[in-house]
Amino acid sequence: MVDISNCRWHLWNLLLQSIIIKYNSFFYICGVKVNNNTFLNIQDLTKKYRDIHALNKIDLKFDQNGCYGILGANGAGKTTLLLIITKLIKKFSGQCKLEQDQMNYFGFLPENWGNYSFLSPIEHLDLLYKLRTQTKPERKELYSLLKWVGIEEKFWEKNPKTYSKGMKQRLGIAIAFSASPKIVILDEPLAHIDPMGRQYFLREFQKYKMKNDAIIVMSSHVISEIEQIADHITIIDHGEILTSNSFLEISLKNNNYEYDIVSISSNQDFLKEFYNILDRNRDDLKITDSRLTKGKILINSKFPCEIQKYLHEKSTDLYVKPTAGFLGKFYADILGDI
């Protein structure tokens, strides 16, 4: 009697070996080689689809670790920009350069990523991990990734064709973050994810960035997602960059002095303890008002960058961001309409 599972395993290994040999530079969702100190430098970048400018002479520079949020309406040019950055689109004019001196990998989740219908989630992760690192992953690491993205154990060996859209998206997130890349590029990563799941992943992306000193580039047309996670905001519309700057700098330039100090781990006791520290140092930190609420500390200050630096020295769990609602108002002002 033929052992079907054993045959499947041998076929699987042959497939893997053939892919590695044939596509040694394969990078789609598997990862692209970059460095630990990468910054992105784009100059006069233009991409046309026939007579339509998807991107029109844009300049953009990302030069430090953090989370870069790319915000724009459907069809604004966000996906085209990310596909050029990841070298999936190679025909364009202008310059798109990733400065580098030490090689590493980055993960990429396209907006509409395609899974292999004949592979289970574990086999997906195993294959793409090997393609990315040329090493065999520990099984427990793959299990940990699936747990992290919220795929229940009973689905680990099932065909992704049976998955809901949300579960498939969770698998895509697991693949993008496998092998702990220093740079992760996410195109509408929370599409099809339920509301509680969205909040969970926004916190987890923040934790990953802090823990790994990583860069996350995330596009979305949902203002609240970018507002919650981004350190740097780029707004794109009809293929043109309307603004690209630190979120705190954008806030200051628009005379907004209301900020939230947020705990990534949502530790209320830690927030309370830190609130008392801030209160004692209010004059030194130039905080004119502060108030402790559930999940955050509300402050009023004209020096949020200095406060952010102070927080970073004290804890990697805390960060400063403009109060909820500011980005929506700014976005409406800069476009004239939403």
Side-chain angles (χ1 to χ4, degrees), residues 109-123:
L109 176 61
E111 182 179 13
N112 297 303
W113 75 280
N115 58 282
Y116 298 109
S117 60
F118 54 88
L119 298 180
S120 71
I122 288 291
E123 290 169 337

Side-chain angles (χ1 to χ4, degrees), residues 112-176:
N112 297 303
W113 75 280
N115 58 282
Y116 298 109
S117 60
F118 54 88
L119 298 180
S120 71
I122 288 291
E123 290 169 337
H124 270 90
L125 288 173
D126 186 70
L127 170 63
L128 297 173
Y129 191 105
K130 288 174 180 175
L131 288 172
R132 179 178 289 173
T133 67
Q134 303 292 299
T135 61
K136 183 176 176 61
E138 293 285 340
R139 207 69 169 176
K140 62 182 180 181
E141 184 176 351
L142 304 184
Y143 295 153
S144 178
L145 268 171
L146 291 176
K147 288 179 181 177
W148 178 64
V149 298
I151 296 178
E152 296 180 53
E153 187 173 350
K154 63 183 179 181
F155 294 107
W156 290 357
E157 300 293 344
K158 290 188 179 296
N159 192 314
K161 287 196 299 185
T162 65
Y163 281 16
S164 67
K165 289 182 179 179
M167 286 178 64
K168 288 178 181 177
Q169 194 70 2
R170 288 171 184 266
L171 176 58
I173 292 171
I175 292 170

Side-chain angles (χ1 to χ4, degrees), residues 66 104-107 132 145 148 173-174 176-186 200-216 229 264 316:
N104 203 335
Y105 292 89
F106 71 69
R132 179 178 289 173
L145 268 171
W148 178 64
I173 292 171
F177 281 87
S178 66
S180 301
K182 276 291 185 180
I183 298 179
V184 187
I185 296 181
L186 306 169
Y200 168 78
F201 279 117
L202 288 171
R203 289 194 302 271
E204 289 302 305
F205 294 165
Q206 284 275 19
K207 290 178 185 178
Y208 182 89
K209 177 195 73 174
M210 294 288 195
K211 180 181 178 181
N212 296 279
D213 198 24
I215 294 173
I216 294 178
I229 194 174
I264 296 173
T316 57

